[in-house]
């Protein structure tokens, strides 16, 4: 809990979580885990391992903050619940016949640290993975959808906006055409499709035809397959802006996050233990996204939401960040850690689940 509050008070954005990563690594080393600092080119990745059993379980920790609003997604709670589960399980690893790895994964908010772990082969030797995430309520299998992040740039030609506007190519107009096309396209979108973003650069002066404009967008869909279809639609909208105005278009696609596949067996075990602690679960289906979805396509995984008293605030609001260091969030760290640890114990001791995961 002390570490959770310290991470909250020192927010660091993706790939810059140097303090948080160091604190997690220190705690794992103090508990006797073999620790690797840095992985797959990510300085703020942490891997702590203990045990020699054939069944290899991973508990994921996140510790990146959001720009401007700090830990408004509660990664201080995610990190320390995962750490707590790892510290509880560490002395039992050999008795349970498991290898346990607590893995600090950078840049979940933007950058996809877990995808870098996948690409580097880390999860090739993992049989199951788990983590918990703070939310206004408990949800066992949240609606975690696929997402693609886009960085869009239009380049035109500057000119005096009053004296010689016909000599300019207005990059801002290209963005307006694209945004209008996206707005009109929404009528034909499927349920669950989402497109949202904002202009990061609109121009330089009111009396200059805008030479360059930039925007960041996110495209979400219920599955990775549907995301591929939606990306084509969105690309056509941005291409329309270039065609209509004569501006040139540059569109950079960041790593794509997949939809989440929740492992039913592990989810049922976690649910049982959480209910025994008095937690009541919701069927909330609000769509959000995470690179844990990519992990779930590689190894069986769970990602329950652990409820906190957020006083009406929701994730990515500053008030939610503040709620993540209140007593209910501290309790969520304990409950999430305990339920993950008990789930790991059950998985290790259940012959049918163990055999399935090893297979």
């Amino acid at each position: 809990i002390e570490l959770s509050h310290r991470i909250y008070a020192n927010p660091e954005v993706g790939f810059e979580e140097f303090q948080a990563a160091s604190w997690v690594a220190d705690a794992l080393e103090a508990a006797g885990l073999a620790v690797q600092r840095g992985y797959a080119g990510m300085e703020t990745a942490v891997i702590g391992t203990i045990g020699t059993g054939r069944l290899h379980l991973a508990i994921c920790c996140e510790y990146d903050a959001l720009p401007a609003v700090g830990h408004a997604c509660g990664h201080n709670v995610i990190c320390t619940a995962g750490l707590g589960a790892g510290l509880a399980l560490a002395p039992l690893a050999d008795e349970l016949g498991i290898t346990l790895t607590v893995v600090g994964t950078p840049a979940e908010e933007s950058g996809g640290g877990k995808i870098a772990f996948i690409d580097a082969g880390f999860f090739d030797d993992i049989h199951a993975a788990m983590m918990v995430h703070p939310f206004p309520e408990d949800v066992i299998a949240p609606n975690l959808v696929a997402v693609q992040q886009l960085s869009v740039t239009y380049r035109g030609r500057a000119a005096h906006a009053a004296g010689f506007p016909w000599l300019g190519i207005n990059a801002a107009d290209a963005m307006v055409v694209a945004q209008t096309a996206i707005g009109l396209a929404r009528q034909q979108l499927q349920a669950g499709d989402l497109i949202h973003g904002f202009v990061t650069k609109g121009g330089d002066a009111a009396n200059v035809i805008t030479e360059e404009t930039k925007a960041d967008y996110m495209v979400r869909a219920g599955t990775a397959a549907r995301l591929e279809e939606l990306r084509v639609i969105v690309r056509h909208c941005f291409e329309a802006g270039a065609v209509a105005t004569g501006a040139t278009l540059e569109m950079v696609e960041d790593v794509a996050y997949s939809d989440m596949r929740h492992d039913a067996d592990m989810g049922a075990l976690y649910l049982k233990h959480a209910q025994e602690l008095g937690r009541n679960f919701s069927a909330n289906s609000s769509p959000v996204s995470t690179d844990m979805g990519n992990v779930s396509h590689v190894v069986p995984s769970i990602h329950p939401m652990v409820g906190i008293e957020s006083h009406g605030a929701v994730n990515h609001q500053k008030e939610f960040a503040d709620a993540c260091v209140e007593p209910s969030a501290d309790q969520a760290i304990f409950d999430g850690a305990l339920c993950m640890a008990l789930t790991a114990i059950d998985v290790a001791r259940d012959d049918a689940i163990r055999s399935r995961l090893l297979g």
Side-chain angles (χ1 to χ4, degrees):
I1 289 170
E2 186 277 330
L3 178 57
S4 170
H5 291 205
R6 200 187 329 158
I7 292 172
Y8 161 85
N10 296 274
E12 302 164 295
V13 297
F15 298 122
E16 298 178 16
E17 317 97 322
F18 296 105
Q19 293 182 104
S22 179
W23 294 332
V24 170
D26 290 346
L28 293 172
E29 283 180 337
L33 282 76
V35 172
Q36 177 179 343
R37 300 171 188 245
Y39 183 78
M42 299 179 292
E43 292 183 66
T44 55
V46 176
I47 300 171
T49 302
I50 195 167
T52 57
R54 185 179 169 208
L55 180 66
H56 195 165
L57 304 179
I59 298 174
C60 295
C61 299
E62 299 170 1
Y63 31 59
D64 60 314
L66 289 156
V69 290
H71 279 289
C73 210
H75 289 198
N76 56 305
V77 173
I78 296 173
C79 173
T80 49
L83 178 62
L87 298 183
L89 287 167
L92 307 175
D94 288 332
E95 179 183 345
L96 292 169
I98 65 172
T99 298
L100 173 70
T101 295
V102 178
V103 52
T105 60
E108 185 276 335
E109 293 293 350
S110 178
K114 296 182 190 66
I115 298 171
F117 272 91
I118 293 170
D119 292 343
F122 172 82
F123 284 99
D124 293 352
D125 298 321
I126 303 292
H127 296 106
M130 65 183 78
M131 61 172 285
V132 296
H133 195 301
F135 203 61
E137 52 197 343
D138 286 273
V139 185
I140 192 60
N143 183 20
L144 303 176
V145 301
V147 66
Q148 174 77 67
Q149 300 185 49
L150 309 173
S151 295
V152 178
T153 302
Y154 287 111
R155 292 186 176 88
R157 184 168 60 239
H160 194 291
F164 307 96
W166 55 88
L167 296 179
I169 296 175
N170 199 319
D173 287 352
M175 189 67 72
V176 171
V177 171
Q179 291 176 312
T180 302
I182 290 170
L184 292 172
R186 286 192 169 95
Q187 184 181 25
Q188 282 78 47
L189 298 184
Q190 297 179 10
D193 292 347
L194 294 168
I195 308 168
H196 49 93
F198 73 111
V199 175
T200 59
K201 179 181 179 182
D204 297 306
N207 60 351
V208 178
I209 296 294
T210 299
E211 186 172 31
E212 182 180 74
T213 186
K214 296 175 178 285
D216 288 342
Y217 264 76
M218 301 182 82
V219 182
R220 300 182 198 257
T223 67
R226 174 56 185 167
L227 180 64
E228 289 299 315
E229 298 172 351
L230 190 56
R231 283 163 62 185
V232 174
I233 295 171
V234 172
R235 173 174 282 278
H236 288 167
C237 291
F238 284 113
E239 288 172 347
V243 171
T245 61
T248 60
L249 167 66
E250 178 185 348
M251 193 164 78
V252 178
E253 297 182 342
D254 201 350
V255 292
Y257 290 7
S258 294
D259 52 301
M260 180 79 189
R261 297 175 176 175
H262 304 278
D263 186 83
D265 288 338
M266 290 197 295
L269 293 171
Y270 180 97
L271 176 64
K272 175 176 71 74
H273 293 302
Q275 288 175 330
E276 288 171 350
L277 293 178
R279 290 195 165 265
N280 298 307
F281 283 76
S282 165
N284 188 299
S285 60
S286 299
V288 292
S289 305
T290 171
D291 56 0
M292 191 66 175
N294 300 67
V295 174
S296 75
H297 284 249
V298 178
V299 299
S301 305
I302 60 171
H303 183 291
M305 299 297 200
V306 57
I308 68 169
E309 175 49 66
S310 59
H311 313 290
V314 296
N315 299 68
H316 290 204
Q317 292 181 329
K318 179 62 171 67
E319 294 81 3
F320 191 86
D322 297 337
C324 284
V325 286
E326 292 187 359
S328 72
D330 296 343
Q331 187 64 45
I333 295 169
F334 178 86
D335 290 355
L338 179 58
C339 290
M340 284 193 288
L342 293 172
T343 298
I345 291 169
D346 288 347
V347 165
R349 297 174 67 182
D350 185 299
D351 291 339
I353 299 177
R354 184 185 183 101
S355 296
R356 175 176 67 84
L357 296 178
L358 286 172

